[in-house]
Amino acid sequence: MNIIKRISAAFLGLFMLTACSSKNSSESSSEAEVTASVQTTAPAEEDDTSKEENPPLSNDINPLTGELGYNKNAVGKRPVAVMVNNLKGALPQYGIEAADVIYEIPVEGGITRLMAVYADYTAVPSVCSVRSCRYYYPIICLGMDAIYCHWGSDQTIALDTLNRTGIDHLDGGGDLYGTLFLRDEDRLKKYASEHCGYLDGSKLAESIELKNFRTDLDEAHKDTMFPFSQEGVTPDTPANEVILNFSNAYYSTFSYDPDSGKYLKFHSGNEQIDQSTGNQLAFENVFILQTSIYTRSDGYLMNVELSGGSGYYASNGGIEEITWQKESESSPIEVFDMSGEELTVSAGKSYIGIIGSDKYISIT
């Protein structure tokens, strides 16, 4: 029998990070918090025999998905992360279905923003629409040794974070406008200009070379993102539908499709489609990471604590409780089962939603 359960975040780290945004953003809105219920049963203990060591990179494994058949020339190379507008008025995006990992995190006004991560920087498609930096995204990139792509930033903490950390980043508001970053002329006929900026993936490799960025992964980030299982992982508690309620108007739903073995993504009640392919976004892995997210003292921008917390992991129609941590700015996000062991996950694409611990997750 399902039981109603509200999750309280458990914080593991010691550092707090402050958030950033631009007051000039056209995306701001005022939305009340959601009150939904979590419906699940206590997860069964995971069989320790299913645990796998996090393997070093081989000559044919995608380091972000664990899938075989990866471009051998891309082994050991740095991933690229692209900021993507997730405002309803900017949908549909394009180029995001090709991402190996997608992060979704709240920004100001109850809306969310995506960060699409691609393991092979030589195979990134054109991505639209590209938006500005929020401070917590480059910090996540540092934990992946990723090159960060965005279109502008606020002139306070986001800019400070980019400068302080020295992260390699490509900015559409800089000298690469007109080459790597452009405006989609067709979209300009239907959308506001801020929803039409795109990254031309075919120019990405040469832009990285132009900036003289390091392309080899550093020694601290050469493992795969997670310990992956080629056979797949199925947590014991059923989860046919999972809803992350970021706000009243912005929520992400994942509906399990047994035919494909993937979770299909919906944006606030509608299928989330990649415009260039016409396909709905789908993921083998859905991570829900809960933490403290709250409005800054200016009453507008957001703080997001990235030290750690509690959450859920869903795959193959099942779900389990997890904990997570990020020990430092340069450390990756790590996830653990409730016994404290590093979590082994299904090979495939991952969605990682970082959501306030005061929000509710509906699981049925």
Side-chain angles (χ1 to χ4, degrees), residues 100-105 112 114 226 244 246 251-254 263 265 272 281-289 312-314 348-355:
D100 297 301
V101 178
I102 289 181
Y103 290 85
E104 182 174 13
I105 311 177
T112 64
L114 307 182
F226 304 108
L244 287 72
F246 292 101
Y251 56 97
S252 289
T253 302
F254 295 86
Y263 281 94
K265 187 177 188 303
Q272 189 149 19
L281 299 187
F283 302 90
E284 281 82 3
N285 302 301
V286 174
F287 293 90
I288 304 165
L289 308 183
Y312 287 105
Y313 167 65
K349 296 187 177 186
S350 293
Y351 165 91
I352 302 175
I354 300 181
I355 187 170

Side-chain angles (χ1 to χ4, degrees), residues 27 37 45 59 65 93 97-99 114 116 125 129 133 135 160 165 177 179 203 212 246 255 259 264-265 282 338 345:
E27 304 162 344
S37 62
E45 293 185 0
N59 63 357
T65 68
Q93 306 102 329
E97 185 188 11
L114 307 182
S129 61
C133 173
Y135 88 92
D160 289 345
T165 63
Y177 178 72
T179 54
K203 302 290 180 60
N212 199 30
F246 292 101
S255 179
D259 291 335
L264 305 179
K265 187 177 188 303
M338 295 309 289
V345 308

Side-chain angles (χ1 to χ4, degrees), residues 107-144:
V107 293
E108 66 282 351
I111 65 174
T112 64
R113 184 158 293 177
L114 307 182
M115 184 169 73
V117 188
Y118 306 82
D120 183 357
Y121 73 87
T122 68
V124 177
S126 290
V127 182
C128 185
S129 61
V130 181
R131 291 297 283 152
S132 60
C133 173
R134 300 292 184 270
Y135 88 92
Y136 28 91
Y137 288 99
I139 289 174
I140 292 171
C141 286
L142 287 171
M144 304 177 74

